[in-house]
Amino acid sequence: MPEASANIGVVGLAVMGSNLARNLASREGNTVAIFNRSYEKTQTLLDEHPEAGFVPAHTYQEFADSLQKPRTAIIMVKAGGPTDAVIDSLVEVFEPGDIIVDGGNAYFPDTIRREKAVRETGINFVGAGISGGEEGALTGPSIMPGGSDESWITLGPILKSIAAIAEGEPCVTHVGHDGAGHFVKMVHNGIEYADMQLIAEAYDLIRRGTGKSPAEIAEIFAEWNKGELESYLIEITAEVLRQMDAETGKPLVDVILDQAGAKGTGAWTVQTALSLGVPVSGIAEATFARSLSSHPEQRAVAGVLPGPDEEFAVSAEDTEQFIEDVRLALYASKIVAYSQGFDEIRAGAAEYGWNIDLGAISKIWRGGCIIRAQFLNRIADAYAATPELPVLMTAQYFVDALTRGQASWRRVVVTAAQAGIPAPAFSSSLSYYDGIRADRLPAALVQGQRDFFGAHTYKRIDKPGTFHTLWSGDRTEIEAEDTH
């Protein structure tokens, strides 16, 4: 039996798992046990990084025996069946009080199910969202763990040792119980979809509107990255646009097939928002835009559809103003995307009984994760000032930014529509903004229609109660039982 020398273990040694294990081993106080279903990957990691002092295991029992109590293991395997299989194997060799952490991109209802099942054995189960990709796993990710308060006592210091640091604070917090961590990671990814789509639309508008080259637009994004739009995604956008293809000599962006992939977290975010009754139109349009791009058979036959009569081009003297309009429209739409995302987190917390600190979430996204940005400090400030803020974009900083950018935002959406340039995330964000600030919405007509064909009833603005009009009778109004 091996000596119980490791304080943390990692199961699953593909790139993410290997990098996370290396990150853990590089931090003072950590000794890392490693296990992979195929020992070949374990041996490769040992051979390539002898300095890490890994404690290898050939079997789950050997892995468990090498861990100090309470045993703590992070699973880094493919979501779904493989995760369930590893959990089952660890439950067989772990004891009550031990901790199993799923660090993959699990769907949060699966995490709720797993936590409930594992809890019955006395073992703690933690669903932890880990953002930052392969580089983040190695150098410092943003980590969003759920799970029990008991598990956080042991796990907290370990995760703090490897998390990214932003303004002196580790980018990790105990999000909430059972599926809370994976829920927040899901919404993070949904916001990421919106952010990326908005950036892509900004690029497309500038390129098609002004005729500037990808390299020239790269310089625009690099300049934007020095101001309020400063973020990892803006930074890498400039890098991608600068890249030339060695084989053809063309800009790489012109050689890449225009079909964007997706791994499902955007769709989960939208589906969950629908079930919670939370509009996340920016995230939804970004998800649908990827779907549209991935249907070449439909796009191939769509050339018969007419477009605008005149080709759009910004006149030379208007170019600088147009680019500034796009910048301001991008920032305004970004505010909407994050506001919608935090609405979903608040609604999810209420639905599932999680006590999620929205300000803390914004802080742990400031470093390590894909959506890291200076902008997140403004969100943290907003929730620090008003923890129960009902609509994020009504915080004064964002009101000022939206006021400053509103005219530009509207011009860009109008220009895109007139030119036939698709800008679904820009335009849906503006529509949401106008919808939420409207004194009265046409929902009154929708509810009237629902009452006409389905006797779904309605409420009145001038007196309490629930009502139904006898549409197929004499059309008198009667008070009805509340069916809402």
Side-chain angles (χ1 to χ4, degrees), residues 329-342:
L330 175 57
Y331 194 61
S333 300
K334 181 185 177 87
I335 291 170
V336 169
Y338 280 74
S339 188
Q340 291 178 342
F342 276 90

Side-chain angles (χ1 to χ4, degrees), residues 210-225:
T210 70
K212 287 186 178 293
S213 69
E216 291 172 320
I217 301 172
E219 296 312 308
I220 293 169
F221 276 93
E223 188 63 31
W224 286 358
N225 200 46

Side-chain angles (χ1 to χ4, degrees), residues 64-291:
D65 291 340
S66 68
L67 288 165
Q68 301 165 3
K69 296 181 181 179
R71 301 178 183 89
T72 305
I74 303 176
I75 301 171
M76 299 296 290
V77 300
K78 190 176 179 181
T83 297
D84 284 318
V86 173
I87 292 169
D88 291 344
S89 297
L90 287 175
V91 166
E92 289 179 7
V93 295
F94 275 21
E95 299 174 354
D98 292 346
I99 305 165
I100 298 173
V101 182
D102 176 13
N105 256 347
Y107 190 28
F108 78 93
D110 291 335
T111 304
I112 293 174
R113 167 181 59 79
R114 289 166 179 150
E115 194 278 336
K116 183 179 180 182
V118 172
R119 190 192 332 138
E120 292 176 358
T121 70
I123 297 170
N124 291 289
F125 183 79
V126 174
I130 299 177
S131 179
E134 297 171 9
E135 180 185 351
L138 180 62
T139 61
S142 173
I143 312 175
M144 295 149 260
S148 66
D149 296 338
E150 177 190 7
S151 64
W152 179 244
I153 294 170
T154 298
L155 192 59
I158 296 171
L159 296 183
K160 287 177 182 178
S161 76
I162 63 166
I165 302 295
E167 301 187 22
E169 298 178 301
C171 293
V172 58
T173 191
H174 185 207
V175 174
H177 295 157
D178 55 65
H182 277 144
F183 180 90
V184 167
K185 174 58 162 59
M186 175 193 73
V187 176
H188 163 283
N189 284 26
I191 293 171
E192 180 184 307
Y193 272 54
D195 221 339
M196 293 171 70
Q197 176 65 23
L198 289 166
I199 290 169
E201 290 178 16
Y203 153 76
D204 197 33
L205 282 159
I206 293 172
R207 187 165 188 189
R208 292 168 66 173
T210 70
K212 287 186 178 293
S213 69
E216 291 172 320
I217 301 172
E219 296 312 308
I220 293 169
F221 276 93
E223 188 63 31
W224 286 358
N225 200 46
K226 297 175 184 176
E228 61 189 0
L229 280 170
E230 182 276 321
S231 69
Y232 173 71
L233 284 171
I234 293 288
E235 177 188 339
I236 67 169
T237 297
E239 294 296 325
V240 172
L241 292 176
R242 284 192 187 108
Q243 185 68 20
M244 302 300 289
D245 177 51
E247 189 173 331
T248 63
K250 297 178 180 178
L252 180 63
V253 73
D254 289 345
V255 179
I256 296 173
L257 186 66
D258 61 336
Q259 296 177 22
K263 290 190 174 180
T265 47
W268 291 346
T269 305
V270 177
Q271 290 162 353
T272 302
L274 286 169
S275 70
L276 293 170
V278 177
V280 291
S281 52
I283 297 170
E285 289 296 349
T287 305
F288 292 142
R290 293 195 190 190
S291 299

